[in-house]
């Protein structure tokens, strides 16, 4: 076959020693078949060479199409799943799997309303659909909760076991009492100071409570009868005792002042004397104000 698509045939000549070659045109159907075969072969070769790229492009177009459809209908999809979830939860509740009992334990400082809100119970909420992990995260986000454990007890009970943070002191500011932890963070408000915990009073006191607790721990004698430690101007401390004694500590060198007070107590029984104020703020000397024993005169017209 020549380049023109003609079929070459060998024709016998008149003489046996001679042969004549003539070109016979191909039929149109044969040309089409051979061209189709050639294109198919090239397509197979291209598919083998670029198979992975083609698959990735097809997948990309599919994902893009699905994503576009999802974005366009995201509101309807979200509403559908929310409605579907509500129907399933309602069916479980009707089947007797709704949360009917909630057991809370391990809390003393935390407000119950905060706990119920963090658990997230709703009417007709089924135990099957209740997200215990999400509730645990919400509970442990409360300032007073150290850890929480939630257990589902079928058919309708929920058990919540809590571990609260341990308060180290009570901080009173603007007439409100707060239990605070070892870092000075507020754990929870309390109605009254908790017996056995030291009391600290004043603006800014909470931040300095850990250091003051550690300082007072070095002088056990000074903790006896101590009612409160009052923060003055967020700069220094006054120690207030049940006898009415107020010890005014300096802004700098409070540890040295406390050591000096302990030495005077050991030598002179300082706390047994009628002292109203012991001022340690001055570097060179100590100022002492005795208790005022002056009789109070009755107003005129009143009987003695």
């Amino acid at each position: 076959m020549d380049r023109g698509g003609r079929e070459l045939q060998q024709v016998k000549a008149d003489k046996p020693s001679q042969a004549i070659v003539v070109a016979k045109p191909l039929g149109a159907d044969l040309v089409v078949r051979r061209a189709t075969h050639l294109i198919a072969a090239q397509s197979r070769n291209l598919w083998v060479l670029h198979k992975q790229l083609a698959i990735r492009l097809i997948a990309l177009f599919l994902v893009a199409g699905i994503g576009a459809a999802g974005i366009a209908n995201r509101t309807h999809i979200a509403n559908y799943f929310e409605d579907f979830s509500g129907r399933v939860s309602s069916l479980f509740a009707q089947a007797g799997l709704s949360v009917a009992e909630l057991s809370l334990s391990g809390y003393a400082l935390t407000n119950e309303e905060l706990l119920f809100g963090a658990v997230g119970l709703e009417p007709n909420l089924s135990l099957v659909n209740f997200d215990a992990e999400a509730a645990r995260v919400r509970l442990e986000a409360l300032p007073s909760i150290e850890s929480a454990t939630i257990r589902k007890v079928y058919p309708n009970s929920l058990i919540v076991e809590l571990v609260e943070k341990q308060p180290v002191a009570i901080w009173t500011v603007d007439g409100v009492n707060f239990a605070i932890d070892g870092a000075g963070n507020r754990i929870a408000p309390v109605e009254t100071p908790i017996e056995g915990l030291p009391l600290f009073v004043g603006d800014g006191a909470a931040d300095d409570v850990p250091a003051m607790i550690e300082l007072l721990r070095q002088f056990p004698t000074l903790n006896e009868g101590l009612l409160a430690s009052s923060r003055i101007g967020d700069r220094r401390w006054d120690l207030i005792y049940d006898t009415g004694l107020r010890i005014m500590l300096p802004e700098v060198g409070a540890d040295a002042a406390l050591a000096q007070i302990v030495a005077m107590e050991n030598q002179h029984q300082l706390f047994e004397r009628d002292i109203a104020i012991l001022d340690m703020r001055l570097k060179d000397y100590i100022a002492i104000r005795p208790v005022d024993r002056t009789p109070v005169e009755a107003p005129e017209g009143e009987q003695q």
Side-chain angles (χ1 to χ4, degrees), residues 101-120:
E101 295 181 5
L102 173 62
S103 173
L104 288 171
S105 63
Y107 69 98
L109 300 174
T110 313
N111 183 279
E112 284 189 349
E113 292 184 2
L114 292 178
L115 292 176
F116 289 139
V119 172

Side-chain angles (χ1 to χ4, degrees), residues 58-267:
I58 293 172
L60 178 62
F61 286 129
L62 287 175
V63 171
I66 294 173
I71 293 174
N73 299 277
R74 60 185 181 274
T75 302
H76 300 291
I77 294 174
N79 291 337
Y80 171 79
F81 280 107
E82 183 177 356
D83 181 67
F84 179 76
S85 177
R87 291 175 183 270
V88 171
S89 180
S90 178
L91 289 175
F92 280 125
Q94 292 175 10
L97 295 177
S98 62
V99 180
E101 295 181 5
L102 173 62
S103 173
L104 288 171
S105 63
Y107 69 98
L109 300 174
T110 313
N111 183 279
E112 284 189 349
E113 292 184 2
L114 292 178
L115 292 176
F116 289 139
V119 172
L121 292 182
E122 299 176 357
N124 297 324
L125 177 65
S126 73
L127 198 63
V128 175
N129 288 351
F130 178 75
D131 192 340
E133 177 61 19
R136 182 191 65 80
V137 172
R138 290 193 298 270
L139 285 168
E140 293 182 353
L142 296 176
S144 58
I145 301 301
E146 182 70 32
S147 64
T149 302
I150 301 177
R151 292 187 293 122
K152 298 179 181 181
V153 180
Y154 289 94
N156 56 9
S157 296
L158 199 62
I159 298 178
V160 180
E161 298 174 344
L162 304 169
V163 177
E164 287 186 321
K165 296 178 181 178
Q166 293 299 315
V168 300
I170 301 297
W171 173 40
T172 299
V173 58
D174 296 330
V176 182
N177 303 312
F178 295 96
I180 58 177
D181 61 17
N185 300 317
R186 287 187 288 185
I187 294 177
V190 294
E191 293 184 2
T192 58
I194 300 175
E195 185 178 356
L197 293 181
L199 176 63
F200 295 85
V201 181
D203 291 335
D207 296 336
D208 301 290
V209 162
M212 191 59 180
I213 289 177
E214 183 60 30
L215 181 60
L216 289 172
R217 189 176 289 122
Q218 302 175 31
F219 305 97
T221 303
L222 299 182
N223 288 288
E224 298 177 6
L226 180 61
L227 290 180
S229 300
S230 178
R231 190 67 172 167
I232 308 299
D234 200 14
R235 296 180 297 104
R236 64 173 194 83
W237 293 98
D238 279 1
L239 304 182
I240 304 172
Y241 289 86
D242 54 7
T243 59
L245 171 65
R246 177 185 288 263
I247 299 177
M248 306 173 71
L249 296 176
E251 183 177 349
V252 179
D255 53 346
L258 292 175
Q260 189 175 6
I261 294 170
V262 171
M264 290 191 301
E265 166 62 19
N266 292 335
Q267 294 179 8

Side-chain angles (χ1 to χ4, degrees), residues 22-43:
V22 296
K24 181 182 179 181
L26 293 174
D29 57 342
L30 181 60
V31 173
V32 171
R33 288 198 302 272
R34 293 193 175 185
T36 303
H37 177 74
L38 180 60
I39 292 173
Q42 292 178 348
S43 299

Side-chain angles (χ1 to χ4, degrees), residues 261 264-265 268-275 278 288:
I261 294 170
M264 290 191 301
E265 166 62 19
H268 307 290
Q269 292 74 46
L270 192 66
F271 291 161
E272 297 180 8
R273 300 178 180 272
D274 290 339
I275 299 175
L278 186 63
I288 298 177

